[in-house]
Amino acid sequence: MFELDHLLVLTDFGAPAADALRSFGLAEGSSNRHPGQGTANRRFYFANTMLELLWVVDAEEAAAAPVSRTGLLSRWRGRGAGACPFGVSLRPCKGAATQTPPFDYWPYRPAYLPPGGEIEMAEGSENPRLPLLFNLPFRRRVDAGQHPEPIDHPAGLGEITSVELSIAQGVDLSPALRMVGDWGIVRFKAGNEPLMVLGFDGVPSGESFDFRPGLPLAFRW
């Protein structure tokens, strides 16, 4: 009923590490600023999802309610010091009977959404040592031929077909994150440091590339 909409990585101001993704062979998409939330991003789109590099540009906005409940500011400040820098965004599949996920959530209504728009933030993922998890009930997959962003990459990568997130040893997943793991959307494992490993197109070649230390990110294809 639900699928991956996008992944986010909290990164340094201005996301200079995005240049490494460009050098690897990714075409960068549009970026934006989130008024009232205090964040900005650089984004890379694929046929089925998007990778968002996110940072805080206005700590006062990010510290104010209701943004503060998301933990974005504390996660951003704590990246590299025990906080998990990752987020997982879901969306309903096309034709799904429901837009509301079967886990507990609270409605987040940031100023940059149209009136009445809300993001469904999973309960329990406020723990800064866990990935942030949320659902975008208003989003659906865009057909490749109608995609407004660049999805044809010089590196030849098409779709993200697997996601593995390493989180801190000894930290229990929230019920919502366990559910997403059971659905097969994301595989979670304990690790000595945060790492997001993305598999592309079923990983036919068995090749890989590690973007550390600039980003806690690795590709397999």
Side-chain angles (χ1 to χ4, degrees):
M1 303 295 283
F2 295 88
E3 62 187 4
L4 184 66
D5 183 76
H6 70 274
L7 298 158
L8 69 84
V9 181
L10 295 172
T11 188
D12 294 344
F13 191 94
D19 294 337
L21 298 177
R22 291 167 59 96
S23 296
F24 172 81
L26 297 187
E28 185 169 358
S30 63
S31 60
N32 62 16
R33 165 81 158 82
H34 304 114
Q37 184 172 283
T39 58
N41 63 26
R42 294 176 70 176
R43 300 181 292 188
F44 296 85
Y45 288 82
F46 303 94
N48 63 330
T49 186
M50 181 262 288
L51 176 63
E52 177 181 22
L53 305 187
L54 188 77
W55 67 93
V56 172
V57 294
D58 189 321
E60 185 175 344
E61 285 186 350
V67 188
S68 57
R69 189 175 176 185
T70 68
L72 281 170
L73 181 60
S74 59
R75 289 168 181 275
W76 184 71
R77 286 176 168 169
R79 69 195 190 285
C84 181
F86 304 132
V88 177
S89 172
L90 306 177
R91 67 184 175 224
C93 295
K94 284 186 176 181
T98 180
Q99 300 176 3
T100 301
F103 50 72
D104 293 333
Y105 65 87
W106 58 276
Y108 172 47
R109 301 182 179 94
Y112 59 85
L113 286 183
E118 70 176 35
I119 299 172
E120 297 168 345
M121 308 294 297
E123 293 282 5
S125 61
E126 296 96 328
N127 181 344
R129 301 186 71 192
L130 289 174
L132 194 63
L133 175 64
F134 52 98
N135 179 56
L136 302 178
F138 50 86
R139 289 284 292 265
R140 297 294 185 276
R141 177 169 175 164
V142 178
D143 293 335
Q146 300 174 342
H147 210 293
E149 299 284 350
I151 59 173
D152 293 324
H153 300 283
L157 304 182
E159 294 195 357
I160 294 177
T161 52
S162 65
V163 180
E164 179 183 279
L165 297 184
S166 294
I167 60 174
Q169 302 272 1
V171 179
D172 293 330
L173 293 176
S174 67
L177 287 170
R178 286 198 300 270
M179 191 175 295
V180 169
D182 290 342
W183 292 342
I185 295 175
V186 178
R187 178 174 178 259
F188 299 99
K189 60 177 288 188
N192 294 324
E193 60 182 358
L195 180 63
M196 176 184 291
V197 180
L198 303 182
F200 290 88
D201 306 314
V203 196
S205 72
E207 297 188 63
S208 63
F209 189 88
D210 196 323
F211 293 94
R212 290 177 291 182
L215 277 175
L217 178 67
F219 287 174
R220 295 174 180 165
W221 67 94

